[in-house]
Amino acid sequence: MNFSGYDPGHFYDELIDTQGKPREGASLLIDRISGLPDGDLRRRQEAAELVLLNMGITFNVYGDDAGAEKIMPFDIIPRVVEAADWTQIESGLKQRIQALNLFIDDIYHDQRIVKEGIVPAFVVESASGYRKECAGLQPPSGIWCHITGTDLVRDESGQFHVLEDNLRCPSGVSYMLENRQVMKRTFPQVFGASHVRAIDDYPDRLLQSLRYLAPEHIPSPTVVVLTPGIYNSAYFEHAFLAQQMGVELVEGRDLVVVDNLVMMRTTQGLQRVDVVYRRIDDDFLDPGVFREDSALGVPGLMNAYRAGNVALANAPGTGVADDKVVYAYVPKMIEFYLQEEMILPNVQTYLCWNDDERSYVLEHLDELVVKAANESGGYGMMIGPHASAEERADFAERIKADPRNYIAQPTLALSRSPVIVDDHFEGRHVDLRPFILNGEQIYVVPGGLTRVAMRKGSLVVNSSQGGGSKDTWVMASTAQEGDHA
Amino acid sequence: MLSRAADAIYWMNRYVERAENIARFIQVNLHLSLDQPMQMRSEQWAPLVKVTGDYDRFLERYGEATQESVIDFLTFDREYPNSIISCLDRARENARSVRQIISSEMWQQINTFFLMVSGVHKGIALEVPDDFFARIQMVCHTFTGIMSATMSHGEAWHFGRIGAMLERADKTSRILDVKYFILLPQVQDVGTPYDNIQWSALLKSASAFEMYRKKYGRIEPRDVAAFLILDPEFPRSIHYCLLEVERSLHLITGTPANTFVNEAERRVGRLRSGLVYTDIGEIIDQGLHQFLDGLQAQLNAVNDGVAQSFFPVNPTISND
């Protein structure tokens, strides 16, 4: 199998340039792949899929009770990110997380950014992730968002943009790590010869960041991962991270709060917990404070948190920044808090609560992507150019009924990367979700989850909508070659 | 460790052990029925369901006990919670809930195993049933071996061990009970080749045939019962299983031998020491069936003692 008939089309292709030549970082990879005997690639692809199935690297799809468990489609041709591109991504993400963290801290304290008229009060207060109960909280070291996954896309010129922030409970990092393991088995020679930056120390760094949250007087803090349980779509990841960090994976019913201390029920009685990496939403954390009907949470957890007896990562209330209207203000936050210019741009965003912008959106529904501000996972969105007249009319009504909850963006010509389709390669649209840890310093893992819209022409990469993934190879620059070897 | 996790590991091992026992019972019975006169072959299968204690449930759903219906019920019936497929499903769900505690190799083994059995076409599996059931047993042993070789023999491992050993003791007592009951009344057969085949089959059902031969040579019903109940060295005898349960419990709590700090230790200690000073003649005089009935009740009491002492949280999977 080779790339002779491969057509990058009108899109930016991650591996092949407009002349049909491999991009610099991908040239060794393309060279080796093209040299493989017929059928070899297909065999490697099948072997990789079997590994994933046997490892049980699956996710659950809601509302699909027959065979609720699926393997995430995986394509063995990696996506390559050049060292220079990565430098911009890394510094852009650090800047963004710093600003977002200052924003969250601000809105739960003095609300300077609102008072100075930069972000309207109603935008903050109506964001579904805003928790008025969090006002005045003082998380350890002033850090709210410890673990973030930010979705990036690349336009036809090759420029990266931030599409979405995920500060509540970003998932996908386990797929990033497992994809890499599978690739090392699948292409050991190519991998060995390429200068790909290592990502395997992520669990270790995550554990360090979590331990950093514990009060200083505790020399060896007890960290746990809090999961909603085995039926959650990301359960695999919760178990994987707990296992890789060597900490307990707990459910709400394993924890109890006694005298404002969080304890877990063990075979030897109650044991104190110092840091909770929680993978359940704010609403379910503590039925005494948020949703009363939550059976997943721990009554009294928020009081223990307020008293400083336990640390939560991410802090409750960070979800305010996941709102897609709030997202549109990030460039202004960066100016306001950091007096800097944004390094990694946002996608141009029209806010439907604004009368002028709404009129524009309603007149251009056939060109724009419309998204509900509070939804994720590819739900609640309409891709104008692909939508029927009825769907557009439906969204027009929804926008008029609840303008605050809708934004629109130009339909991006997302970049593509080659995937194996039967006996040849075809380009498919991809995005990139790098992961950022915020502890003693801000750290961006040199890699990420590349999600692929496996259906031809589709722009939706979410796993719940038939998306797959690829390994992401961030290439080392000459200066970094040392740390690779 | 977390109580819920201890509970899950305990049950994961019980279910794997259960699946292995059922596969062995079926395989031995398949062999045995080949040696039977044609007209008697189908009588051979009802006892296998009686071993499980779920005979009524079986009759309700399948009516008659034939080779096909019994194998179907005990192997592939997803509605029946103790079929091989259901056991593997529950073993895997329990394993999934403690993936962070068990080794990756264990998880992969149990996951692959489940996928193998659930993906198999019934007709194809039963073309060579012997292979199929032999493979299930071998995969269960592989799981136990992987667990032993890849997981630290700490608290979690011992909870698994307790689950497996209690299940094994229970199964040995049940197969002995059912078979002994059928075999003994037929006085006219005693000492005939047919009788020998039946008793050998019972020993094989507990993987005990070869080890029994080494120890006793000739097959005598009394010695067979003694071997399966009282032998302290044979790994499927009830006595051996209880020794292991007791050892694991004491390693978990750190309590010295012959003392106890919880109900589990007290109950297993009393049961096990009773066996040390029991003679097979005494058991036969009392009535083997009555003895085994009482023993099963006490095994259940040990199980409850373990749950009460260590697992106060509701489990994720509803285990029985």
Side-chain angles (χ1 to χ4, degrees):
Chain A
M1 224 186 278
N2 61 46
F3 285 84
S4 55
Y6 182 77
D7 175 20
H10 306 297
F11 304 98
Y12 185 90
D13 192 280
E14 299 290 343
L15 300 189
I16 308 285
D17 69 15
T18 46
Q19 315 297 312
K21 295 264 184 319
R23 295 191 185 279
E24 192 190 338
S27 59
L28 180 73
L29 174 74
I30 301 279
D31 199 42
R32 296 286 179 103
I33 289 174
S34 308
L36 292 172
D38 272 358
D40 192 86
L41 213 49
R42 195 65 235 169
R43 271 196 296 282
R44 288 175 200 239
Q45 172 72 35
E46 281 161 12
E49 285 169 6
L50 187 64
V51 169
L52 289 169
L53 180 68
N54 286 344
M55 293 205 283
I57 303 184
T58 53
F59 65 97
N60 303 325
V61 180
Y62 295 115
D64 180 356
D65 43 12
E69 212 176 293
K70 296 195 172 151
I71 322 183
M72 164 116 84
F74 177 71
D75 180 80
I76 58 171
I77 309 301
R79 183 257 189 93
V80 173
V81 180
E82 308 274 0
D85 288 331
W86 186 255
T87 307
Q88 192 208 11
I89 291 173
E90 192 177 23
S91 53
L93 289 173
K94 284 182 177 171
Q95 179 194 52
R96 190 176 185 95
I97 293 306
Q98 209 186 344
L100 280 168
N101 196 66
L102 289 167
F103 168 74
I104 298 167
D105 198 61
D106 185 23
I107 60 152
Y108 290 120
H109 290 98
D110 302 339
Q111 302 211 334
R112 276 173 48 225
I113 199 161
V114 173
K115 286 176 190 150
E116 298 195 19
I118 315 277
V119 179
F122 82 92
V123 165
V124 172
E125 283 154 17
S126 59
S128 72
Y130 176 71
R131 293 285 171 277
K132 59 179 187 310
E133 299 85 349
C134 295
L137 283 182
Q138 301 283 359
S141 311
I143 302 173
W144 292 75
C145 46
H146 310 92
I147 300 123
T148 310
T150 303
D151 292 344
L152 308 179
V153 294
R154 212 168 198 190
D155 65 17
E156 61 268 54
S157 73
Q159 173 63 49
F160 279 99
H161 297 263
V162 175
L163 185 66
E164 216 173 285
D165 299 292
N166 298 288
L167 286 85
R168 258 175 309 188
C169 297
S171 61
V173 77
S174 57
Y175 295 105
M176 169 187 90
L177 295 167
E178 290 286 17
N179 285 352
R180 177 60 56 86
Q181 292 306 315
V182 172
M183 287 304 287
K184 282 181 177 171
R185 290 198 206 184
T186 309
F187 285 131
Q189 290 85 359
V190 187
F191 191 88
S194 306
H195 299 278
V196 181
R197 292 184 63 187
I199 54 173
D200 296 353
D201 64 344
Y202 177 81
D204 201 51
R205 290 189 183 257
L206 175 61
L207 182 59
Q208 272 178 36
S209 316
L210 292 170
R211 284 171 157 245
Y212 177 70
L213 301 179
E216 273 175 35
H217 64 270
I218 300 174
S220 178
T222 299
V223 176
V224 299
V225 177
L226 175 60
T227 174
I230 61 171
Y231 301 112
N232 183 267
S233 61
Y235 178 76
F236 161 72
E237 175 153 308
H238 308 160
F240 176 85
L241 291 174
Q243 182 191 44
Q244 295 295 311
M245 290 192 286
V247 305
E248 293 285 2
L249 177 66
V250 302
E251 297 179 19
R253 63 209 158 110
D254 296 322
L255 299 180
V256 58
V257 178
V258 181
D259 297 337
N260 256 356
L261 302 175
V262 179
M263 304 287 210
M264 59 181 168
R265 300 180 216 259
T266 77
T267 53
Q268 317 284 340
L270 297 178
Q271 188 193 330
R272 171 101 185 252
V273 171
D274 305 299
V275 181
V276 178
Y277 177 24
R278 51 92 176 205
R279 295 293 300 257
I280 68 180
D281 277 347
D282 291 352
D283 280 346
F284 300 100
L285 269 182
D286 182 345
V289 177
F290 302 112
R291 270 174 68 159
E292 283 174 36
D293 60 343
S294 167
L296 304 174
V298 187
L301 183 61
M302 283 301 287
N303 277 340
Y305 179 65
R306 280 200 196 98
N309 291 337
V310 68
L312 295 174
N314 290 347
T318 51
V320 63
D322 289 358
D323 186 282
K324 293 185 173 69
V325 177
V326 173
Y327 153 92
Y329 290 93
V330 176
K332 289 180 179 166
M333 292 175 202
I334 291 173
E335 278 174 34
F336 181 74
Y337 295 114
L338 306 176
Q339 291 80 47
E340 290 175 14
E341 280 214 19
M342 184 170 231
I343 299 170
L344 205 53
N346 265 16
V347 175
Q348 185 187 2
T349 302
Y350 302 97
L351 301 176
C352 295
W353 68 262
N354 175 305
D355 294 340
D356 295 342
E357 295 183 29
R358 183 173 64 253
S359 316
Y360 178 86
V361 170
L362 290 171
E363 280 160 29
H364 296 84
L365 280 177
D366 55 341
E367 301 165 15
L368 299 170
V369 176
V370 180
K371 295 176 182 173
N374 297 320
E375 298 265 4
S376 62
Y379 296 104
M381 67 184 261
M382 180 200 74
I383 299 173
H386 298 180
S388 67
E390 278 165 20
E391 285 170 299
R392 287 200 290 267
D394 174 42
F395 265 79
E397 288 311 309
R398 294 201 214 179
I399 291 170
K400 286 180 217 158
D402 185 8
R404 156 64 180 87
N405 197 33
Y406 286 91
I407 61 137
Q409 294 168 335
T411 308
L412 297 175
L414 295 193
S415 63
R416 300 201 312 189
S417 197
V419 301
I420 300 174
V421 179
D422 301 323
D423 61 347
H424 61 283
F425 298 104
E426 285 183 22
R428 290 288 184 271
H429 295 294
V430 294
D431 78 349
L432 175 63
R433 176 178 287 182
F435 296 92
I436 306 106
L437 294 174
N438 190 0
E440 225 168 331
Q441 288 132 19
I442 299 178
Y443 170 75
V444 186
V445 191
L449 181 66
T450 290
R451 298 186 298 176
V452 191
M454 298 301 274
R455 275 196 295 269
K456 192 170 192 165
S458 169
L459 292 168
V460 187
V461 296
N462 305 80
S463 56
S464 50
Q465 315 273 317
S469 73
K470 280 170 170 290
D471 192 17
T472 307
W473 289 7
V474 173
M475 308 312 281
S477 64
T478 11
Q480 289 154 337
E481 304 246 320
D483 76 42
H484 175 76
Chain B
M1 68 182 297
L2 285 178
S3 296
R4 184 177 49 78
D7 179 74
I9 288 184
Y10 174 89
W11 281 103
M12 172 184 77
N13 282 271
R14 272 202 92 137
Y15 287 130
V16 170
E17 183 69 27
R18 194 172 290 176
E20 194 256 338
N21 276 279
I22 297 169
R24 186 154 26 76
F25 293 170
I26 294 175
Q27 194 194 19
V28 171
N29 223 45
L30 282 164
H31 283 237
L32 182 62
S33 67
L34 293 176
D35 285 330
Q36 300 271 352
M38 277 294 187
Q39 69 274 18
M40 285 183 65
R41 282 190 186 174
S42 61
E43 288 173 26
Q44 204 61 49
W45 289 93
L48 218 56
V49 183
K50 289 183 182 154
V51 172
T52 62
D54 298 314
Y55 193 55
D56 291 342
R57 196 168 184 161
F58 170 80
L59 289 180
E60 214 172 89
R61 311 228 356 239
Y62 290 80
E64 206 188 345
T66 62
Q67 176 171 325
E68 287 67 35
S69 66
V70 169
I71 289 184
D72 212 25
F73 179 66
L74 292 179
T75 311
F76 298 107
D77 192 336
R78 285 175 190 265
E79 314 252 301
Y80 173 50
N82 293 316
S83 67
I84 292 177
I85 186 76
S86 300
C87 284
L88 293 180
D89 186 20
R90 292 199 283 174
R92 175 171 174 255
E93 289 305 298
N94 277 296
R96 188 198 297 285
S97 76
V98 287
R99 258 174 102 149
Q100 77 288 1
I101 293 175
I102 62 176
S103 65
S104 308
E105 291 90 342
M106 283 166 69
W107 163 252
Q108 275 200 43
Q109 167 71 9
I110 206 159
N111 186 46
T112 313
F113 184 18
F114 172 79
L115 295 173
M116 167 196 118
V117 177
S118 74
V120 81
H121 185 274
K122 208 192 297 180
I124 293 172
L126 296 181
E127 260 172 29
V128 193
D130 188 64
D131 275 4
F132 180 65
F133 291 105
R135 201 155 139 220
I136 291 177
Q137 293 167 62
M138 196 45 75
V139 181
C140 289
H141 290 318
T142 308
F143 177 77
T144 311
I146 288 176
M147 177 163 163
S148 209
T150 61
M151 186 175 171
S152 293
H153 291 201
E155 200 182 356
W157 190 84
H158 284 294
F159 276 112
R161 183 82 181 149
I162 291 170
M165 289 299 113
L166 277 178
E167 179 67 25
R168 186 181 288 177
D170 177 71
K171 283 289 169 288
T172 299
S173 79
R174 283 170 187 276
I175 191 83
L176 181 60
D177 192 16
V178 170
K179 285 288 182 176
Y180 211 90
F181 185 69
I182 300 168
L183 288 179
L184 269 190
Q186 296 165 336
V187 184
Q188 74 280 6
D189 290 333
V190 171
T192 64
Y194 171 66
D195 195 45
N196 262 342
I197 290 171
Q198 288 280 357
W199 284 104
S200 309
L202 167 56
L203 284 167
K204 284 175 186 161
S205 299
S207 286
F209 182 68
E210 294 169 17
M211 295 302 137
Y212 174 88
R213 274 274 198 241
K214 285 189 212 306
K215 185 156 178 175
Y216 292 96
R218 282 199 55 190
I219 293 179
E220 291 286 348
R222 198 186 158 87
D223 291 340
V224 171
F227 190 64
L228 292 180
I229 299 172
L230 299 174
D231 195 279
E233 290 171 350
F234 177 64
R236 307 201 90 85
S237 88
I238 295 165
H239 186 187
Y240 176 89
C241 293
L242 291 174
L243 279 167
E244 288 292 292
V245 170
E246 196 180 22
R247 190 176 84 90
S248 284
L249 277 172
H250 284 270
L251 284 169
I252 289 169
T253 59
T255 322
N258 300 312
T259 62
F260 65 90
V261 290
N262 59 40
E263 271 301 287
E265 284 178 349
R266 192 178 70 81
R267 290 174 191 177
V268 78
R270 191 165 65 182
L271 182 55
R272 197 268 311 153
S273 47
L275 287 185
V276 176
Y277 301 104
T278 300
D279 171 68
I280 190 65
E282 203 182 325
I283 294 176
I284 305 266
D285 290 346
Q286 177 197 340
L288 183 69
H289 176 65
Q290 282 74 4
F291 174 81
L292 291 173
D293 230 25
L295 188 89
Q296 279 161 25
Q298 292 179 74
L299 289 173
N300 286 339
V302 174
N303 172 71
D304 296 344
V306 172
Q308 184 185 320
S309 314
F310 300 105
F311 315 147
V313 190
N314 299 334
T316 311
I317 321 295
S318 63
N319 298 311
D320 62 339

